[in-house]
Amino acid sequence: MKAIRIDRTGGPDSLILVDIPLPDPGPGEVRVKQNVAGVNFIDVYIRSGAYKRELPFVLGREGAGTVDALGPGVSEFRLGDRVAYMETPHLGGYAEAAIVPVAEAVPVPSGVDDATACAVMLQGVTAHYLAHDTYRVAAGETILVHAAAGGVGLLLTQLAKIAGATVIATAGGADKGALATSAGADTVIDYAATDFAPEVKRLTDGRGVPVVYDSVGRDTWERSLAVLAKRGYLVLFGASSGPVPPIDPLRLMAAGSAYVTRPTLGDYKRTRAELLSHTDALFALIAAGKLHVRIGATYALADAAQAHRDLEARKTTGKLLLTL
């Protein structure tokens, strides 16, 4: 089968299209014949070597397709079942087939297509736990979402609106601002033209916001901290502009007894039941027409390097997929 393998970490040119043997599932696993695979910013961190993995490896952690082989002892699925996943300890998602533990395989309902199911897995579950578990967004609150035109940002904005919150969003340029508005953002600040911090203070009559969802990192975190209300939460869940430096706890005191957290997906899906609680809620919202998943671009498997270039250059909006 075809797959994208990394023999050395580095830039997008490290992504190499290769032929590898079609694997067989082991006990408690299924093989998924993939129709689509997801591209996520965490893939950039892994490809570059910022997040360590033993070389060589097949990149990617997310896909959707049909079960075409069952490992010994598997009874939860049948051949032909449609599934999606966002993590597998074996071959990565940038391949024509993936070996997925039953614990990570999510049944896809008939009202959700493979592309949408794949697109909502990592980014959708991330948005869901951020809005419901890391900090539970409540009706009547005004919150700040950075990079609101990105894959997580668009979903997080919609989930916050469903919860009844007012959303202040940041995005770069008119086109991305329009996307954030279409997702329900009440006010969009073009960070390329306006310093968001004084504007957020103005919009909240100087009170600040109870939570900032910040996936940008180095370029925004200090101003994000500055716009928090007393005992507010700075939720750092990415670092697209670079890592945040060490934080002196006294800064949190000066910011009004603020909280800073750096959540990670694995800690919010520790059990299969926890995982399914997120995906069931997301699929139900999609089927009801309340949550819309934007697929920004699709690429052939062989063009995975270009997908990474576009993602790193911030030329993309919504979800990027590889078609297989």
Side-chain angles (χ1 to χ4, degrees):
M1 68 175 184
K2 299 290 185 184
I4 295 291
R5 190 178 66 202
I6 291 183
D7 297 328
R8 58 174 180 81
T9 55
D13 291 342
S14 301
L15 303 177
I16 304 169
L17 183 67
V18 296
D19 287 300
I20 60 174
L22 184 67
D24 292 318
E29 297 175 336
V30 297
R31 186 173 68 205
V32 179
K33 182 180 183 299
Q34 301 203 120
N35 292 319
V36 288
V39 178
N40 299 283
F41 216 95
I42 192 172
D43 299 344
V44 173
Y45 299 149
I46 295 170
R47 185 211 72 213
S48 68
Y51 290 2
K52 303 299 182 185
R53 286 191 63 179
E54 184 177 349
L55 295 167
F57 59 86
V58 175
L59 189 62
R61 56 188 294 177
E62 181 182 48
T66 58
V67 174
D68 77 342
L70 304 173
V74 172
S75 59
E76 295 89 343
F77 293 100
R78 295 180 298 177
L79 297 180
D81 283 352
R82 296 173 58 237
V83 299
Y85 69 93
M86 62 179 144
E87 193 165 21
T88 174
H90 302 298
L91 291 169
Y94 292 15
E96 291 177 328
I99 301 298
V100 182
V102 166
E104 297 290 343
V106 173
V108 178
S110 59
V112 180
D113 61 64
D114 285 351
T116 301
C118 179
V120 83
M121 288 300 292
L122 193 147
Q123 292 179 345
V125 171
T126 296
H128 195 265
Y129 81 68
L130 289 174
H132 288 84
D133 299 315
T134 304
Y135 177 91
R136 181 172 287 273
V137 177
E141 291 184 325
T142 297
I143 72 168
L144 176 60
V145 177
H146 285 306
V152 174
L154 288 171
L155 295 166
L156 182 55
T157 297
Q158 292 178 74
L159 291 173
K161 293 302 298 180
I162 291 169
T166 296
V167 177
I168 302 171
T170 68
D175 290 343
K176 290 188 176 183
L179 282 174
T181 298
S182 72
D186 297 275
T187 302
V188 179
I189 301 170
D190 182 353
Y191 64 76
T194 304
D195 184 351
F196 72 84
E199 186 65 6
V200 170
K201 284 287 193 177
R202 183 188 70 80
L203 291 166
T204 59
D205 296 323
R207 295 186 302 272
V209 294
V211 63
V212 178
Y213 291 105
D214 191 334
S215 62
V216 179
R218 182 176 58 199
D219 291 351
T220 53
W221 79 274
E222 290 195 75
R223 288 175 292 159
S224 294
L225 193 63
V227 302
L228 286 177
K230 299 295 184 183
R231 288 161 43 187
Y233 283 72
L234 174 52
V235 180
L236 293 163
F237 66 98
S240 60
S241 68
V244 170
I247 300 174
D248 183 346
L250 291 178
R251 292 286 303 278
L252 308 183
M253 179 186 72
S257 301
Y259 298 86
V260 175
T261 182
R262 198 343 179 155
T264 186
L265 178 61
D267 290 330
Y268 287 87
K269 62 173 193 69
R270 293 168 297 173
T271 65
R272 179 163 176 77
E274 198 169 35
L275 168 62
L276 292 177
S277 72
H278 296 304
T279 56
D280 287 351
L282 291 165
F283 288 152
L285 288 171
I286 292 168
K290 295 180 179 180
L291 185 67
H292 303 281
V293 182
R294 177 180 172 80
I295 298 173
T298 59
Y299 302 78
L301 181 63
D303 295 327
Q306 187 58 49
H308 276 230
R309 294 186 189 99
D310 292 345
L311 185 62
E312 289 183 276
R314 299 189 188 183
K315 294 180 179 179
T316 64
T317 58
K319 183 70 179 185
L320 304 188
L321 296 177
L322 303 176
T323 56
L324 302 157

